[in-house]
Amino acid sequence: MTISITRRALTGSLAALAIATTALTGLASGAYAQTSLRMAVPDPAGSSVGRAATRFAELVSEKTDGEVAIEVFPDGVLFGGDQNAAVNQLGSGALDGLILASSVYASFEPKMNAISLPYLFADYDQLQAYLGGEPGDELLASLDRFGIHGLGFFLRTFRDVTTRDTAITTAEDFQGVTLRTPNNPLFVALFEALGANPTPMAFSEVYSALQLGAIDGQENPVEVPYNNKFSEVQGQLNITQHLADSFLVALSGNAWDSIPEEHREAVQQAADEMIAEHDAEEIAAEQDIIAKLQDEGMQVNHFADGKLERVQEIARSIYPEFEDQIGAEFMQKSLDFVNQ
């Protein structure tokens, strides 16, 4: 019998004797810390990502008895809001730590696109198993060559489409709809295949573009339209659940090396514990957020009976376009993982 041990499982087991203390604050001051690190996040402190970073900082302080401190800097202030630049800065050591969407990392490591292959995952259990198992470990290891030490992935809820007026309940409803997407070829290819007009755009421009009618809609996990008050300029919430994304928790290689060896397992365990907590919270919150958007006046639409299968068929037709980028071997490994 062959026993497979993932990197996360190994580090988690080695960290079983973590020190339990009272958390100091969400933003560790580092006044008496042996090692003080700064972690950048792209969103506000109260956002899902901001809360995850703060919780990670608390757990690191607890588990290292204050010897390692993480200070969280929200709103992209440490990298000027340029997320691609943030990855470069992390690799160079200009940033100590970063929590950023895996889809951004796909510009540097195309294997990351595997996470966002449309309709790859049947449910959140499957997504969590992938991110926390051998495929996720291979993706983390692929960043080593950039000088980045990946600690783990936490999930985002599946992405949905909001539109101003168009209710999307069939594949045909995508025709001609102008949708903002991230500047990622996979996202663009998906909506082109569905007959929409994908329009890559900086997120900071999305609200005004929706308000002015320059675009018809956008796609994101439901917390994004809720937190950014898109219900003021969008009338339809279409539960398409078309692809997955995740956030990668990482330190620069220099920052990881600066942590005393006796504390590294505790830092990894802090990341694992935060990820488990955060995933559970995100999944539980999704339906509450949908209800809140509905209360704010958005109409919630689902695919009509029997229509999802056609959308999935069209969406999966783009897989061959990305086989060379992702790598045929890793794409097949991903497909085998979800089909086992």
Side-chain angles (χ1 to χ4, degrees):
M1 180 177 68
T2 300
I3 299 176
S4 176
I5 301 176
T6 68
R7 179 162 74 173
R8 184 177 303 171
L10 177 61
T11 54
S13 63
L14 291 173
L17 297 178
I19 300 169
T21 66
T22 302
L24 299 178
T25 66
L27 302 180
S29 69
Y32 303 103
Q34 186 175 0
T35 304
S36 296
L37 303 173
R38 305 196 306 169
M39 172 158 277
V41 296
D43 299 333
S47 68
S48 173
V49 183
R51 294 193 308 272
T54 298
R55 180 58 177 154
F56 176 55
E58 292 173 348
L59 288 167
V60 167
S61 181
E62 289 177 12
K63 294 177 184 301
T64 66
D65 199 21
E67 291 296 329
V68 179
I70 306 287
E71 187 173 4
V72 177
F73 289 79
D75 295 313
V77 295
L78 292 186
F79 52 86
D82 185 335
Q83 297 189 5
N84 282 342
V87 177
N88 284 321
Q89 290 172 34
L90 185 68
S92 71
L95 288 178
D96 295 327
L98 180 66
I99 299 181
L100 202 61
S102 57
S103 55
V104 178
Y105 279 90
S107 298
F108 300 85
E109 173 47 80
K111 277 185 180 180
M112 291 286 176
N113 275 313
I115 297 171
S116 296
L117 286 169
Y119 294 108
L120 178 65
F121 302 105
D123 52 37
Y124 290 127
D125 286 344
Q126 201 172 64
L127 174 58
Q128 286 177 288
Y130 181 95
L131 295 175
E134 290 184 6
D137 282 341
E138 184 169 337
L139 291 174
L140 292 177
S142 73
L143 299 176
D144 290 348
R145 73 182 191 276
F146 298 109
I148 295 171
H149 182 86
L151 293 170
F153 298 93
F154 60 87
L155 64 75
R156 303 185 81 183
T157 54
F158 294 134
R159 298 174 81 97
D160 297 305
V161 172
T162 67
T163 47
R164 184 171 56 252
D165 302 313
T166 304
I168 296 177
T169 60
T170 70
E172 292 71 27
D173 293 332
F174 285 99
Q175 292 291 324
V177 176
T178 301
L179 292 175
R180 180 268 175 182
T181 67
N183 189 19
N184 181 309
L186 189 148
F187 288 63
V188 172
L190 167 61
F191 288 106
E192 284 180 342
L194 288 167
N197 297 320
T199 304
M201 179 184 296
F203 184 76
S204 59
E205 301 172 11
V206 173
Y207 185 94
S208 60
L210 293 170
Q211 188 175 42
L212 295 171
I215 54 176
D216 301 316
Q218 61 83 55
E219 56 79 52
N220 260 304
V222 291
E223 72 147 320
V224 174
Y226 177 69
N227 289 336
N228 291 276
K229 302 187 184 302
F230 286 175
S231 61
E232 297 173 350
V233 289
Q234 298 275 269
Q236 307 291 324
L237 172 59
N238 306 289
I239 308 301
T240 52
Q241 307 273 281
H242 49 277
L243 55 78
D245 198 357
S246 63
F247 278 99
L248 173 61
V249 185
L251 298 177
S252 73
N254 292 342
W256 178 253
D257 290 343
S258 75
I259 298 170
E261 190 169 354
E262 65 267 24
H263 295 313
R264 290 177 192 167
E265 305 302 344
V267 172
Q268 179 65 61
Q269 190 190 39
D272 293 345
E273 190 171 327
M274 178 276 285
I275 287 167
E277 290 178 3
H278 192 77
D279 282 0
E281 291 169 1
E282 287 294 287
I283 294 168
E286 184 178 32
Q287 293 305 313
D288 289 340
I289 293 173
I290 291 172
K292 288 175 181 177
L293 288 169
Q294 194 168 25
D295 289 343
E296 291 176 359
M298 296 191 77
Q299 177 175 309
V300 178
N301 308 304
H302 297 267
F303 286 117
D305 289 346
K307 298 298 182 181
L308 172 60
E309 291 76 12
R310 177 56 182 157
V311 175
Q312 291 174 326
E313 179 185 3
I314 295 170
R316 290 168 179 158
S317 72
I318 73 169
Y319 284 15
E321 295 180 40
F322 294 90
E323 186 174 64
D324 287 343
Q325 291 184 37
I326 293 171
E329 182 179 350
F330 189 71
M331 178 176 274
Q332 190 59 53
K333 182 179 293 186
S334 298
L335 294 172
D336 290 344
F337 186 91
V338 299
N339 290 323
Q340 64 186 356

